Structure formats: C-alpha cells, structure tokens
Amino acid sequence: GAIYGGSITAILLKTPGTPASAATTLDGYPMATKLGQPGRALAISTTASTFGGVFSTFCLVLFAPLLALVALQFSKPEYFALAIFGISMITSVSSGSILKGLIGCLVGLFIATIGLDAMSGMERFTLGTLYLSGGVSFMPILIGLFALTQVFVNAEELFRGENMRQEMVRIRRALPTLADLKLIATTLLRSSSIGTVIGCVPGTGGDIASWISYDQAKRWAKDKSQFGKGDPRGIAASESGNNSIVGGAFIPVLTLGIPGDGATAIILGALMVHGLQPGPLLFTDHPVDVYSIFLSLMAANLVMGCFGFSLIRLFVKVTAVPKLILLPIIVVMAMVGTYSYGNSMSDVAVMVGAGILGYFMQKTNVGVPGVIIGIILGSLAEQNFTGSLMMSDGQLSIFLERPLCAVFLVLSLISLLSPLYSGALKAMFRKGDKSVSQ
C-alpha cells in the first residue's frame, strides 16, 4: 500500500512518495499535466500496482523454492554485475541527449562515494564533517530533486504570470479503458516478472526494479517516441515492477530465512517471535501459517486496488488547488518530512541544495533520473566490486567465470552500445531510402 501510495504524488505533483515511485514521474506527471489526464494516469497506476502485487503473490505460491535457488546464486560478483546493468540503462531513461544523461549519472555516482569507504574505512569527500562521514542520505536528495525542484519551476512560472490557477479536471471514469489495457498488457507481464525476480534477490528493492522495468519497457516498445511524454506503458512498467517485489521479497524469507529488504526483515522477526522458524521446514511443519500469509498478502493487494480505484476522484482534486496555496504547502511538507527522516537540519540543507541543483539540471536538460540511478546503484556496485576482488585475490576474471555475472555484463554492454548501433541502422536506412528515391 505504501509503495502504491507513492505513485499518487509522483503523478499529480511530480513528488514521489517513495524512492520506488521515482520512475513513475517520467510519464505519470506529463500525462496528468501536459495531456490533462490525471484520472487516466492514476487508473493505470492502480491497475499496474494491483496486477504486480497479485502476480508476485501467485509466483510466491507456485515457485517459491525455485526462485529461492536463483537467489542463492547471487554473491558479490553477481550483485556488481546487476548494479552495472542497472547503471547501463541510463541510455534508455535519458530523454534528449544521452551525454547529458551520463553527466547526471556521474553526478549521482560521485554523491554515492561521499562518506567512509566500506572496505578501508577511509574518509572520502567528507570536508571534515561528522555528518558526511556517514554518507549523504538518499531521501533528502530525492525530495529535493523532485519536490523542491518542481516548486522552483512552478514559482518561476508564477513570477512570470503563467498558470496562476489550476483548472479543475473532470474525470469521466476511474477505470482504465480497454484500449489502455491492451496497450499495457505485455508490459504488465514483463515488468511483474522482472520485479518478482529482483525482489527475491536479497539487498535489492522496488527502486531498482522500477527503473529496470521502465528501461525494458522502452527497449521492447516499437514506438519509443512517447516515453517521457505521458506513455501509459511507462507508468505500468514502473508501478507493476515496484509492487511485484513485495511477493518476491517474501520468497527468501520463507524458504531460506533471509530477508529481502527492510520490510521483510521486520516480518522475519515477527515470525520468529511467534515461534515460526523460516526455512525449508516451515512449509512442512507449519503449512497452515504459510498459506495464511499467502492469503493475507493476496487480500492486501486486492483491498489496495479497491481503495485506489474508489479514491481516484478524491486524489485528483489536488490538481484544482491554486499553485499560490499548493507550493508553500509542498515546501513545508518537504522540510518537515526531511527533518523527521533523520531529525537533522543538515538533511534539510541537503534537500535544499538538491532542489537548487535539480532546478539548474532541469533548465540545462541534464537528466535527473541519471542522478537517482547513480546514487542508488553506485554504492552497491563499488562495495561488491571490491568484495569480488577480495574473493579472487585481485583477479578480474572472476566476473567472466561466473555465468550469471557474465550474462549481466554482456547485457550491460549491449545496453550501453544500443544507441550507437541503433543510430547507425537509422542512418543506413535513410541512406538506402535516398538511393531508392534517386
């Protein structure tokens, strides 16, 4: 429910409620504002979130032991290769110049290096402050890059006398159309599968799943021109991907006793408090309890969908609030939320700095998604790269000797080079068309 709720503000205000909803802003906000279809965007988001949750629950029931074996294959080299694969998709999510998208990714990777080195304990770019020694908190940066940046952009429009008042949008229907369902059907299946598999790998999460799902949706689409402009497939990919990790994250908890993320770590503790020891014997010794968990998870997804569809008309009313009233409210909520995250004014300062950075990045068309991807995956890649070299006594061949790792690295190379060969193919076809016409 919390992951789905993050998509509401991501679509209506371009302010993701959770890191997992950041990718939803790429198409959700343009559909709600530029296309004037916030109800349609929320309907697609609710459908995708519910489908992803139900799909992953079915996978949990049917394939839990099999997917647990996949999770066991992951060690430091595989985590590094997965992180590199995630970073390589910057070529897909960058709207406009790929070079500017890469610049944004490098900014994110640099921010990820701030703090103590995980292996050596050396300080890096801390400026002698105790706050930066623990690294830069991700949540203040996320709030600044999305919420505060959008406030600055809207405030500039108000200063120029543009968009002084929001117009009330009338919603004719709160359910997705049949045409939308046909358009996103393949995306829902693909992204839910991706999210389920990523969810069953401990240490990953909805933010990684949503970006990879969005990347793959764009790569497999025949017409990529509408992505970033309000394409339903972009919303469906992100939301089905991040919600399907919930069922996937249960798989290593119930079958191996390994929590997949913070939420399942709490559930693991709750199970042990009640005398249930997660592991292979849990399915044979306590089948009633296991299937009670399955049924409650399925019910939770269905109830979430019912609440979402029934409240869409209420959610959309936020678009009718005048910006002169809405913007100060967003600023106050951003500051209060950032402060409450770590009870630190330093976090608030980071949030304001990220907002200013995001404003200038948006003005220069440098990709903000690249910064988010760099921060999320930078530390994961670095720590597991160093750990892999320690496992192999400094031999880089470890990344090619492990099949799963090699597959991810090859896919990363293809992903990075895809803009080059796609551009070459387009140029070749144009040249052929000209010769034929002559």
Side-chain angles (χ1 to χ4, degrees):
I3 295 177
Y4 160 68
S7 69
I8 297 170
T9 51
I11 290 171
L12 299 179
L13 304 175
K14 202 180 181 181
T15 307
T18 65
S21 303
T24 307
T25 62
L26 298 183
D27 283 286
Y29 187 72
M31 181 180 287
T33 55
K34 295 180 180 179
L35 301 183
Q37 300 172 338
R40 181 189 180 199
L42 289 171
I44 293 172
S45 169
T46 306
T47 302
S49 298
T50 306
F51 181 89
V54 171
F55 179 91
S56 66
T57 304
F58 273 117
C59 291
L60 172 64
V61 175
L62 299 176
F63 307 116
L66 180 62
L67 290 175
L69 293 177
V70 175
L72 283 176
Q73 299 300 315
F74 274 73
S75 61
K76 291 188 179 297
E78 284 75 23
Y79 280 116
F80 167 73
L82 177 63
I84 294 299
F85 176 62
I87 293 172
S88 70
M89 69 189 176
I90 189 62
T91 57
S92 177
V93 301
S94 298
S95 57
S97 172
I98 294 177
L99 177 60
K100 290 183 178 180
L102 291 173
I103 292 173
C105 186
L106 290 175
V107 171
L109 291 173
F110 168 73
I111 294 174
T113 62
I114 296 174
L116 297 178
D117 180 76
M119 294 296 175
S120 66
M122 296 291 292
E123 292 187 358
R124 301 180 302 187
F125 312 112
T126 60
L127 304 177
T129 63
L130 183 62
Y131 172 76
L132 291 178
S133 63
V136 181
S137 299
F138 175 59
M139 190 59 69
I141 294 178
L142 183 73
I143 294 174
L145 285 177
F146 285 97
L148 209 58
T149 294
Q150 196 60 32
V151 167
F152 291 152
V153 172
N154 289 333
E156 181 185 12
E157 293 176 352
L158 292 177
F159 183 76
R160 294 177 177 176
E162 304 173 7
N163 298 327
M164 292 297 291
R165 181 176 179 84
Q166 301 280 78
E167 294 183 3
M168 183 62 182
V169 178
R170 296 185 180 275
I171 298 182
R172 297 178 180 177
R173 56 189 303 167
L175 296 173
T177 63
L178 185 60
D180 280 338
L181 291 177
K182 289 182 179 179
L183 180 62
I184 66 175
T186 304
T187 302
L188 290 177
L189 289 171
R190 183 193 308 113
S191 300
S192 298
S193 301
I194 292 172
T196 302
V197 173
I198 290 178
C200 76
V201 178
T204 57
D207 41 7
I208 298 176
S210 63
W211 286 110
I212 292 180
S213 298
Y214 184 90
D215 167 72
Q216 293 304 308
K218 187 173 181 179
R219 291 187 186 280
W220 285 92
K222 294 181 179 179
D223 178 19
K224 302 177 176 62
S225 61
Q226 296 306 309
F227 276 84
K229 301 177 182 178
D231 196 306
R233 294 168 294 183
I235 303 173
S238 173
E239 287 304 303
S240 58
N242 62 30
N243 277 269
S244 59
I245 66 109
V246 176
F250 267 90
I251 292 172
V253 170
L254 297 179
T255 59
L256 305 173
I258 301 173
D261 56 13
T264 49
I266 297 174
I267 293 173
L268 175 63
L271 291 174
M272 298 180 71
V273 166
H274 286 280
L276 300 175
Q277 180 60 49
L281 295 180
L282 182 65
F283 288 80
T284 56
D285 295 344
H286 303 279
V288 175
D289 296 304
V290 171
Y291 282 94
S292 296
I293 294 173
F294 293 163
L295 289 173
S296 63
L297 185 59
M298 180 68 72
N301 281 288
L302 296 176
V303 170
M304 178 197 73
C306 293
F307 270 109
F309 285 119
S310 61
L311 295 175
I312 283 178
R313 298 180 186 277
L314 178 63
F315 296 149
V316 171
K317 289 185 181 296
V318 73
T319 61
V321 179
K323 288 187 177 180
L324 285 173
I325 299 175
L326 186 62
L327 296 185
I329 294 175
I330 294 175
V331 171
V332 171
M333 292 180 64
M335 289 189 171
V336 172
T338 301
Y339 179 79
S340 63
Y341 177 73
N343 295 325
S344 171
M345 285 302 297
S346 298
D347 284 342
V348 178
V350 169
M351 185 268 293
V352 174
I356 296 172
L357 174 65
Y359 172 78
F360 286 105
M361 290 180 68
Q362 187 161 326
K363 287 296 180 180
T364 55
N365 202 28
V366 175
V368 171
V371 180
I372 302 300
I373 292 173
I375 296 174
I376 292 173
L377 299 176
S379 57
L380 179 68
E382 181 191 12
Q383 293 176 17
N384 288 287
F385 177 75
T386 308
S388 300
L389 292 183
M390 293 177 67
M391 289 172 56
S392 63
D393 294 327
Q395 299 297 319
L396 293 173
S397 57
I398 187 174
F399 299 111
L400 299 177
E401 292 171 351
R402 304 172 74 94
L404 197 56
C405 181
V407 168
F408 275 123
L409 291 177
V410 170
L411 290 174
S412 303
L413 185 62
I414 294 174
S415 177
L416 285 171
L417 297 179
S418 61
L420 297 179
Y421 62 72
S422 63
L425 287 174
K426 289 179 181 177
M428 187 184 303
F429 281 121
R430 289 196 195 102
K431 187 176 179 180
D433 291 340
K434 287 181 180 179
S435 62
V436 169
S437 61
Q438 288 174 357

